[in-house]
Amino acid sequence: MGLVKYLIAILLLIPSLAFADIRNAASCKVSDVTTAISASANGDTVTIPTCEGTDGTWTSGITLSADKLITLQGAGATNTVISHGAITAISITGAHRITGIGFNLTVSGGYDVYARGKGWRIDHCSFTNLVGTS
């Protein structure tokens, strides 16, 4: 009986594990992605579905700040394709991860991803400059 009490005491001292949630954007429209990001918490993954029609054409960008670090995950660089002009599509500060998104720059003066800080990661993305200059 003493061993059982000892084991229970040890288990109570171990902090409970926290699991990150997955938030699914309703579409790849910037407003739907922003809504999913707003509903997320630190450590969550926000998924962006395949873009259809003009849903992937952004006229404003999103900002991910250092106070809530997330993973922003598309459905693959050839499926989730964000086309944008003279804006910054995604601005990040801190250890965010951007993955599985294709970016098409359609007008000079824009940035696909602008990253500041340490620990950020951008992988499995594609970057296409449709205006001919970098």
Side-chain angles (χ1 to χ4, degrees):
M1 190 65 136
L3 180 61
V4 173
K5 289 181 183 178
Y6 178 72
L7 289 174
I8 290 173
I10 289 175
L11 290 174
L12 291 175
L13 293 175
I14 297 173
S16 64
L17 296 174
F19 295 99
D21 285 332
I22 296 175
R23 306 282 179 187
N24 300 309
S27 76
C28 64
K29 291 180 182 178
V30 71
S31 58
D32 289 334
V33 175
T34 302
T35 298
I37 291 169
S38 295
S40 70
N42 193 40
D44 285 357
T45 296
V46 173
T47 63
I48 306 173
T50 298
C51 295
E52 297 180 15
T54 59
D55 286 353
T57 301
W58 289 9
T59 56
S60 61
I62 60 172
T63 300
L64 303 176
S65 62
D67 61 337
K68 179 169 52 174
L69 303 175
I70 65 167
T71 295
L72 190 60
Q73 180 175 338
T78 58
N79 296 317
T80 302
V81 179
I82 305 301
S83 297
H84 65 94
I87 63 163
T88 298
I90 301 174
S91 178
I92 63 175
T93 302
H96 296 278
R97 179 180 181 208
I98 310 296
T99 186
I101 302 173
F103 296 92
N104 287 342
L105 178 63
T106 61
V107 176
S108 296
Y111 295 96
D112 297 322
V113 179
Y114 183 74
R116 293 180 297 275
K118 296 179 181 180
W120 49 266
R121 177 178 171 186
I122 301 169
D123 61 83
H124 298 90
C125 294
S126 68
F127 302 91
T128 305
N129 185 342
L130 299 174
V131 295
T133 59
S134 295

